[in-house]
Amino acid sequence: MDKVKFIENSLIESAQIKQKIFSHCTEQILKAVDVISNAFKNGKKLLLCGNGGSAADSQHIATEFVIRLNPKIKRPGLPAIAITTDTSNLTAGGNDIGFENTFARTVEALGNPGDVLIGISTSGNSENVIRAMKTAKEKGMIVIGFLGRDGGKMKELCDIPIIVPSNNTQRIQEGHITIGHIISELVEIELYGEPQD
């Protein structure tokens, strides 16, 4: 294997997918920015969930909202919670009510009308995220999906499905975190103004 060529091809593919995100997902990204900004303006919160790399993305994106993304924008913390981080909750849920119900149970406990749920899944078919989305809808929350491939079963459950146009899990995950960064910074700008030098 030509390892240098592999690196080059990986970077080219990643860049091409990001260009496709611009042409395929810009409208949905802007809608997500509006929904999340309005939720925060109205004293609501953001919940996020996913499995594996998508769990890590949930934590990463929640942190950008709570702490900050752009250091030139001075602002307070924003209420975002990754419901993937509490090992006691996740293991008790997995043991007592089944892993497929753990996220839904936390959404049931923490979600309120007008809150927002971001469910992250490269396939769009993760059962525990599907159930979380269904519970969120029952509670009057707004559901955003960070998805891949054809959007899977989650596409129809989302108010705003953002589908990275790729079948490659790695490229989809790279797209999700890029989209998360874009949304986070645009929400900061929407709420607190342009970066100050």
Side-chain angles (χ1 to χ4, degrees):
M1 173 193 280
D2 184 338
K3 294 177 184 175
V4 172
K5 191 67 177 174
F6 179 86
I7 293 169
E8 181 184 23
N9 289 340
S10 295
L11 291 170
I12 289 170
E13 184 184 19
S14 184
Q16 289 172 339
I17 293 302
K18 290 183 176 70
Q19 289 176 323
K20 288 182 181 179
I21 289 170
F22 177 71
S23 59
H24 287 75
C25 304
T26 294
E27 181 181 345
Q28 292 84 357
I29 290 170
L30 291 172
K31 286 180 181 176
V33 170
D34 287 343
V35 162
I36 295 169
S37 297
N38 288 332
F40 288 150
K41 286 176 186 176
N42 291 313
K44 305 300 181 179
K45 64 184 171 296
L46 173 65
L47 304 179
L48 304 96
C49 64
N51 297 294
S54 298
D57 288 346
S58 297
Q59 292 176 239
H60 185 153
I61 295 165
T63 298
E64 304 296 12
F65 283 114
V66 172
I67 304 301
R68 69 178 185 195
L69 182 61
N70 190 322
K72 294 183 178 180
I73 297 176
K74 305 306 178 188
R75 64 166 180 86
L78 295 166
I81 304 167
I83 61 173
T84 57
T85 59
D86 185 335
T87 54
S88 296
N89 185 43
L90 293 173
T91 54
N95 189 60
D96 297 348
I97 61 174
F99 184 66
E100 67 277 11
N101 295 308
T102 52
F103 294 152
R105 184 67 159 195
T106 304
V107 171
E108 179 184 63
L110 299 180
N112 293 304
D115 287 345
V116 179
L117 173 70
I118 295 179
I120 307 177
S121 172
T122 59
S123 69
N125 293 314
S126 302
E127 183 61 29
N128 55 353
V129 181
I130 288 171
R131 294 190 186 197
M133 287 181 169
K134 289 179 178 178
T135 300
K137 297 292 282 184
E138 290 168 3
K139 298 212 70 176
M141 297 172 64
I142 301 165
V143 176
I144 299 169
F146 283 18
L147 311 172
R149 297 183 175 86
D150 63 357
K153 297 174 185 175
M154 291 180 200
K155 180 180 178 181
E156 302 305 319
L157 297 172
C158 296
D159 297 293
I160 307 171
I162 304 175
I163 304 170
V164 173
S166 175
N167 292 315
N168 182 323
T169 298
Q170 298 170 66
R171 304 290 93 87
I172 296 167
Q173 289 175 327
E174 291 161 7
H176 285 168
I177 201 61
T178 300
I179 290 165
H181 279 158
I182 290 168
I183 290 173
S184 298
E185 189 162 11
L186 284 176
V187 169
E188 287 181 329
I189 291 168
E190 176 71 21
L191 295 179
Y192 301 103
E194 300 274 348
Q196 301 298 311
D197 292 328

